[in-house]
Amino acid sequence: MRSHSAIVKHCSILHRDISDNNVLVYRTNNGIARGVLIDFDYAIEMKPGSRENRKEMTGTFPFMSINNLMMSDVERTSLDDWESMICLICLYATLGTVSGKRRTYEDLAGFPIRFWRDDSLEMVLNFKRLHLSESTIFMEEIVRFFKADDDKDGLLTNLAVLLHELLFQNPALGSSYHGTSRKLAKPKLPEISLEEKFEALTRSGHGVLSDGGSSVINPFVERAKEWERISQDLLRLADVCWKFAMKSQEVEIKEKSSVVVDNNSK
């Protein structure tokens, strides 16, 4: 996502199809794994306020953002691509990352994440909105089924949990930015009795959805207003994870090199 963020920042280009087919991993001559983002067929130029990047569902089904699946009026931002990356991490953490020991897609039949790969748009949308709605549900329904043997240092688990928190329940932002569903705005009332509070709610019309929708908060709209700030938080976390992964890889490579040297000396 470093290259993705750089392209967004310097070129104002949004990829819109973060998926398993478009993220490649290769190893350099010294054995370090690197990622490459490819296939910009669905990419668009980001134009604030333009309707060109709205109400168009693009991408690969299991990795589409909720906002994308809803084909909503909310402007697409890099947050949609970050959400796709979270979905990608979750799917592969569940399948496993060690060659020869990975689960198959058939094995996912017993896990809730299987609904992200359903043929029904409505099914995928509803289950993603549920699974990503809050941290406790995300942990219980998705993260706890990660293949633990392939994530012994907890790197993928911690990355997924913290990325989810920063995107859907960012502690630096208010509750109006949290979650995956619209919610009622609670009017601020003075310290009064329950009877007076109920009467005030009834008079104000906030007890039900008002005709103008002024009492409804859409967290996707709110987050879109702060997409640059949230994206920076997500990128900082990814950088921390990347540095940790690099150290782990370097240690692993040194250990393997030592074994080779010892075997050769014998």
Short mmCIF file of all heavy atoms in Angstrom, two decimals, residues 15-16 44 78 118 130 137 139 148-149 162 192:
data_model
loop_
_atom_site.label_atom_id
_atom_site.label_comp_id
_atom_site.label_asym_id
_atom_site.label_seq_id
_atom_site.Cartn_x
_atom_site.Cartn_y
_atom_site.Cartn_z
N HIS A 15 -6.90 3.17 -7.49
CA HIS A 15 -6.80 1.86 -8.15
C HIS A 15 -8.16 1.19 -8.34
O HIS A 15 -8.50 0.74 -9.42
CB HIS A 15 -5.86 0.96 -7.34
CG HIS A 15 -5.51 -0.33 -8.03
ND1 HIS A 15 -6.36 -1.42 -8.05
CD2 HIS A 15 -4.41 -0.70 -8.72
CE1 HIS A 15 -5.78 -2.41 -8.72
NE2 HIS A 15 -4.60 -2.00 -9.13
N ARG A 16 -8.91 1.02 -7.26
CA ARG A 16 -10.28 0.49 -7.25
C ARG A 16 -10.40 -1.01 -7.51
O ARG A 16 -11.49 -1.50 -7.74
CB ARG A 16 -11.18 1.25 -8.24
CG ARG A 16 -11.30 2.73 -7.96
CD ARG A 16 -12.54 3.30 -8.61
NE ARG A 16 -12.62 3.00 -10.03
CZ ARG A 16 -13.72 3.21 -10.77
NH1 ARG A 16 -14.80 3.71 -10.21
NH2 ARG A 16 -13.71 2.94 -12.07
N ILE A 44 -9.17 5.32 -11.73
CA ILE A 44 -9.73 6.59 -12.18
C ILE A 44 -8.95 7.74 -11.55
O ILE A 44 -8.26 7.58 -10.55
CB ILE A 44 -11.21 6.75 -11.77
CG1 ILE A 44 -11.36 6.64 -10.24
CG2 ILE A 44 -12.09 5.76 -12.49
CD1 ILE A 44 -12.71 7.06 -9.73
N SER A 78 -9.48 6.55 -1.20
CA SER A 78 -8.50 5.49 -0.94
C SER A 78 -8.96 4.60 0.22
O SER A 78 -8.46 3.48 0.36
CB SER A 78 -7.13 6.09 -0.62
OG SER A 78 -7.17 6.85 0.56
N ASP A 118 -19.62 -15.39 -1.64
CA ASP A 118 -20.90 -15.86 -2.13
C ASP A 118 -21.23 -15.23 -3.49
O ASP A 118 -20.71 -14.16 -3.83
CB ASP A 118 -22.01 -15.51 -1.13
CG ASP A 118 -23.28 -16.30 -1.35
OD1 ASP A 118 -24.13 -15.85 -2.13
OD2 ASP A 118 -23.41 -17.39 -0.75
N LEU A 130 -21.94 -6.80 8.68
CA LEU A 130 -21.97 -7.39 10.02
C LEU A 130 -20.56 -7.63 10.54
O LEU A 130 -20.21 -7.17 11.63
CB LEU A 130 -22.75 -8.70 9.98
CG LEU A 130 -22.68 -9.56 11.26
CD1 LEU A 130 -23.32 -8.83 12.43
CD2 LEU A 130 -23.35 -10.92 11.04
N ILE A 137 -17.05 -8.15 17.00
CA ILE A 137 -17.61 -9.04 15.98
C ILE A 137 -16.54 -9.44 14.97
O ILE A 137 -16.45 -10.60 14.56
CB ILE A 137 -18.80 -8.36 15.27
CG1 ILE A 137 -19.95 -8.13 16.25
CG2 ILE A 137 -19.29 -9.22 14.09
CD1 ILE A 137 -21.12 -7.37 15.67
N MET A 139 -13.35 -9.68 15.47
CA MET A 139 -12.46 -10.65 16.12
C MET A 139 -13.12 -12.03 16.20
O MET A 139 -12.49 -13.05 15.89
CB MET A 139 -12.12 -10.16 17.53
CG MET A 139 -11.20 -8.96 17.57
SD MET A 139 -9.49 -9.40 17.21
CE MET A 139 -9.06 -10.32 18.68
N ALA A 148 -3.42 -20.07 12.64
CA ALA A 148 -2.47 -19.66 13.67
C ALA A 148 -1.06 -20.18 13.43
O ALA A 148 -0.07 -19.49 13.72
CB ALA A 148 -2.96 -20.10 15.05
N ASP A 149 -0.94 -21.38 12.87
CA ASP A 149 0.39 -21.97 12.64
C ASP A 149 1.22 -21.14 11.67
O ASP A 149 2.45 -21.19 11.69
CB ASP A 149 0.24 -23.40 12.10
CG ASP A 149 -0.28 -24.35 13.15
OD1 ASP A 149 -0.26 -23.99 14.34
OD2 ASP A 149 -0.72 -25.46 12.78
N LEU A 162 -5.71 -3.94 13.87
CA LEU A 162 -5.42 -2.51 13.98
C LEU A 162 -5.86 -1.73 12.74
O LEU A 162 -6.34 -0.60 12.85
CB LEU A 162 -3.94 -2.29 14.26
CG LEU A 162 -3.47 -2.80 15.63
CD1 LEU A 162 -1.96 -2.64 15.78
CD2 LEU A 162 -4.19 -2.06 16.76
N ILE A 192 -32.63 16.61 32.43
CA ILE A 192 -34.04 16.72 32.81
C ILE A 192 -34.55 15.32 33.13
O ILE A 192 -33.86 14.32 32.94
CB ILE A 192 -34.87 17.34 31.66
CG1 ILE A 192 -34.66 16.55 30.36
CG2 ILE A 192 -34.51 18.80 31.45
CD1 ILE A 192 -35.50 17.06 29.20
#
